[in-house]
Amino acid sequence: MQKVIIIGSGPAGLLLAHYLLSRGNYQVEIYESRLDPRLAEQSNQRTFPIALQSRGLNAIEQIVGLKVALAKKGVWSQGILIHRKQGKPRQINRKMPTLLIDRNQLNLVLLENLLEKHSRELVTVKFDCSCVDINLESHEAILDHNNGERFTAKYDRLVGADGVRSQVREVLSARGDIQCQQDFIPDVYKSLHVPRIAPDKTVELAGNYLHTSTLGKGIRLVLAPQPDDWLHGTLIFSPDNNPLENCTTDEEVLAYFQENTPFIKPVMRLEDVAVLRQNPVSKILTVKCDRMHVGDRILLVGDGAHAVSPSIGQGCNASLQDAQVFSQCLARYEDKWEEALPAFTAERLSDVHALRELSDYTFPRSKPMMLEFVFRLTIGKKLRPWFPLLTNPLPMELIMESELPYSEVLKQSQGWINRVRESMQN
Ligand SMILES: Cc1cc2nc3c(=O)[nH]c(=O)nc-3n(C[C@H](O)[C@H](O)[C@H](O)COP(=O)(O)OP(=O)(O)OC[C@H]3O[C@@H](n4cnc5c(N)ncnc54)[C@H](O)[C@@H]3O)c2cc1C
């Protein structure tokens, strides 16, 4: 029995724990810096919806019962409604449905299911404990309990699944074991929650589509329906263009939304605006590493190894896929980590680097390319059977409607990606 310590109980760490335990020869200890989500009041302040599509869902489906449990806490979406200031929204249907689920709910289901399925001899999750260092020579993680107590935990293998600000990655990078680059994306966001149904029940926004809208000056709104008839979403803007900055009252903010994105007018209330104003403005950091393992004992998965911009909604999908791909490597090399780890880096790195390119350059920022983008996603798609060469699929379609690896999606859509990159540089 090998003892694996996982740092971080986000989607990547928890799904990897499911996979390891399903192999039957691991004992898993998870350390998480946050409070136990089953005991703590779930804050809506920093949560946001996650869109899980085929890549993430396939990874989840391999673990018996997980997809059904998650589906109960989420909503299946058939596509996107792009709302405009006037007229009917543009509708983009997807061949493969997407599961929209709140990030806290996703974590909670992965955790509860893990603890229900496996005994405490095989898996424990210790909350309120932050990894502060690793001793690679003695194979020990050094942890701080939030009560101030410091302790160590011995491992046979250690997994850094501690997200974009990974301490495991920091330790490895300070030792020169791993090279990584970190950048902030140009946009910031605020979480937003509004009811889906108007208080007087006269208007109901679709419960099976993602709602999006542009509010001018690069400001975007994305809202995902949730099972409790709420829409959870994000308001995205550039830091020097915060639309709420000059509003001094809730009434002014409400008026801003009513003016610039009228579809939300019937459902948005003053109390929703008050919460939105209190929510922090969050920055988004991206990470690119030159490897996903160190030596024959340490693995990095999820955002810790490859955090990307959420623009195409793939960060979590890719993090879940890491767990599946690593488990396949373990199966191929009969749980010999010294062989499975380099094989994982060799197989996965090109895909996560491709995902970075796709996340940065799938959505254009210039107006002419934005118009072309919407045209090709709507009318171009319908013309494709007659004009296949003129209307080849955009990266977004290949991501959402195929299961191609990210490196293959990038290869097939390199022309578009290069054009967007050039338009941004100009
Ligand atoms: C606004 C927004 C919208 C998004 N939408 C989507 C989407 O639609 N689809 C999609 O696929 N992805 C989306 N993402 C990306 C997605 O949230 C991440 O890719 C995903 O959460 C990564 O999972 P993870 O387990 O690697 O990291 P996290 O979810 O960050 O989990 C890491 C865990 O490690 C813990 N931790 C951190 N440091 C320590 C430490 N030192 N010791 C112990 N524990 C520690 C943290 O508390 C956390 O619980 C979105 C991201 C944002 C910001």
Side-chain angles (χ1 to χ4, degrees), residues 81 143 145:
L81 290 174
L143 296 127
H145 194 279

Side-chain angles (χ1 to χ4, degrees), residues 112-125:
E112 285 177 341
N113 200 282
L114 183 77
L115 297 178
E116 271 161 28
K117 240 181 224 156
H118 304 281
S119 75
R120 289 306 71 80
E121 276 97 68
L122 289 177
V123 60
T124 53
V125 189

Side-chain angles (χ1 to χ4, degrees), residues 354-366:
L355 173 61
R356 169 68 183 264
E357 291 258 298
L358 293 166
S359 301
D360 285 349
Y361 304 118
T362 285
F363 279 105
R365 282 173 182 257
S366 75

